[in-house]
Amino acid sequence: MTAAFTFPGQGSQAVGMGKALAEAFPAARAVFDEVDVALGEKLTAVIWEGPGETLQLTQNAQPALMAVSLAAMRVLESEAGFSVAKHAAYVAGHSLGEYSALAAAGSLSISDTARLLRTRGLAMQKAVSVGAGAMAALLGLDYETAVAVADEAAQGQVCQAANDNGGGQVVVSGDKAAVERAVEIAKSRGAKRAMLLPVSAPFHCRLMQPAADAMAEALAGVIIKPPAVPVVSNVLAAPISKPDEIRRRLIEQVTGTVRWRESVAYMAAHGVTRFFEIGSGKVLSGLVKRIVEGAAGVSVGGPNDIVSAKDALAAAQSS
């Protein structure tokens, strides 16, 4: 099989996402209803009506993005004949998107995933006092150089590579002063751009250990089944299928680097030529084209994308 299903992470959220899907397809509406029931609140009202500042809150953005991804996945299944088991070689997701990938592959229930992501969002926000941490994007440096920049900037504080997104885009995370130093060092090392990001906490670094502990407790209380196809783990950039390892890697992911560039490269090296980005936005589709020459990124986030996705899947199966 030459297709992989991928799922976006935080930053892809937008007020109104998924609304057209829910209005057009009962299968999508059912997902949003299930998420609302699982959380005991109308998250859909925030997703579709805003305000944007409320949707941006980590504890809302994470389950919201998952809801849109799973709604799109259910529509692809009911309207376009998509099947993770039949049509995907792998699933993968960027940060919180790994939870969406696992739900899509039947490893986690949608209700459990919504509750886990609410817990994850709250725990990540609480782990570090507001203003104490920061993240910055370093553009135009390879991963090894970005890691060296982070190491030099740390000076006894925390500064580490949080996201290796590919295409010369690496995000560093840690104590605010250390990340600010990394921005200046990166510029001196030839970065095209280096700038602080408007985020509420320093994700994917050691400062998130309290959140990792919270997720260890939360994940211990849910059923994880073997996924229909392997999930390419963020922290390994390699496929995993055993429930105990999935649980362990999800805990590690909170403080570990999202190895997205290597994950995409792994899937491409094992025959994947079309990457279906299922959910809000087109960030992952753009990255795929920069990571793997000749790879196709197909974004599926609204009703108008369903037919083109079906055609792309047919092409993937015949190639």
Side-chain angles (χ1 to χ4, degrees):
M1 285 176 284
T2 60
F5 298 165
T6 66
F7 298 85
Q10 206 161 335
S12 291
Q13 66 271 11
V15 172
M17 62 182 183
K19 187 175 183 181
L21 279 173
E23 291 174 344
F25 303 106
R29 180 75 217 199
V31 171
F32 288 109
D33 289 345
E34 183 174 350
V35 169
D36 282 349
V37 170
L39 297 179
E41 65 180 70
K42 282 281 188 181
L43 181 63
T44 48
V46 174
I47 300 172
W48 296 338
E49 300 162 22
E53 310 85 72
T54 304
L55 178 61
Q56 298 283 6
L57 293 173
T58 303
Q59 66 261 32
N60 291 331
Q62 294 198 18
L65 284 162
M66 182 278 298
V68 176
S69 286
L70 269 293
M73 190 73 236
R74 293 292 179 262
V75 173
L76 287 170
E77 291 167 349
S78 63
E79 302 296 323
F82 270 52
S83 165
V84 172
K86 291 181 181 178
H87 297 134
Y90 305 99
V91 294
H94 192 285
S95 190
L96 81 89
E98 190 160 69
Y99 286 80
S100 306
L102 287 163
S107 191
L108 289 168
S109 73
I110 290 175
S111 294
D112 280 344
T113 308
R115 288 187 288 264
L116 286 168
L117 288 173
R118 169 56 58 80
T119 298
R120 185 177 184 266
L122 285 168
M124 292 174 94
Q125 190 60 64
K126 287 168 55 180
V128 180
S129 300
V130 174
M135 300 180 77
L138 313 183
L139 307 181
L141 298 180
D142 61 32
Y143 178 66
E144 290 73 20
T145 303
V147 169
V149 166
D151 289 345
E152 183 179 338
Q155 296 180 22
Q157 294 182 303
V158 173
C159 188
Q160 65 189 85
N163 302 335
D164 179 14
N165 289 330
Q169 181 189 120
V170 181
V171 175
V172 296
S173 181
D175 289 298
K176 186 177 181 184
V179 173
E180 289 173 339
R181 287 192 293 269
V183 168
E184 297 309 312
I185 294 169
K187 292 175 181 175
S188 72
R189 294 285 184 90
K192 293 178 182 176
R193 292 181 69 194
M195 64 276 193
L196 293 173
L197 296 175
V199 296
S200 57
F203 305 131
H204 297 292
C205 75
R206 291 192 301 279
L207 296 177
M208 287 286 114
Q209 187 58 48
D213 295 340
M215 290 313 297
E217 183 177 346
L219 285 160
V222 300
I223 295 172
I224 299 178
K225 299 177 182 177
V229 298
V231 57
V232 178
S233 162
N234 280 188
V235 295
L236 295 179
I240 57 176
S241 294
K242 294 180 179 178
D244 285 346
E245 182 166 24
I246 289 170
R247 185 177 283 108
R248 186 166 72 252
R249 302 305 181 185
L250 287 175
I251 297 165
E252 291 176 5
Q253 188 220 58
V254 179
T255 57
T257 303
V258 176
R259 297 169 61 183
W260 191 250
R261 172 182 58 86
E262 294 172 276
S263 295
V264 171
Y266 176 91
M267 290 183 276
H270 289 79
V272 173
T273 56
R274 283 176 174 80
F275 294 80
F276 291 85
E277 179 179 9
I278 300 171
S280 181
K282 300 181 179 180
V283 172
L284 300 184
S285 296
L287 290 175
V288 157
K289 296 169 186 175
R290 297 168 68 181
I291 296 169
V292 180
E293 186 175 352
V298 183
S299 302
V300 187
N304 295 335
D305 300 327
I306 302 304
V307 172
S308 58
K310 186 176 183 178
D311 292 343
L313 183 65
Q317 300 310 300
S318 63
S319 61

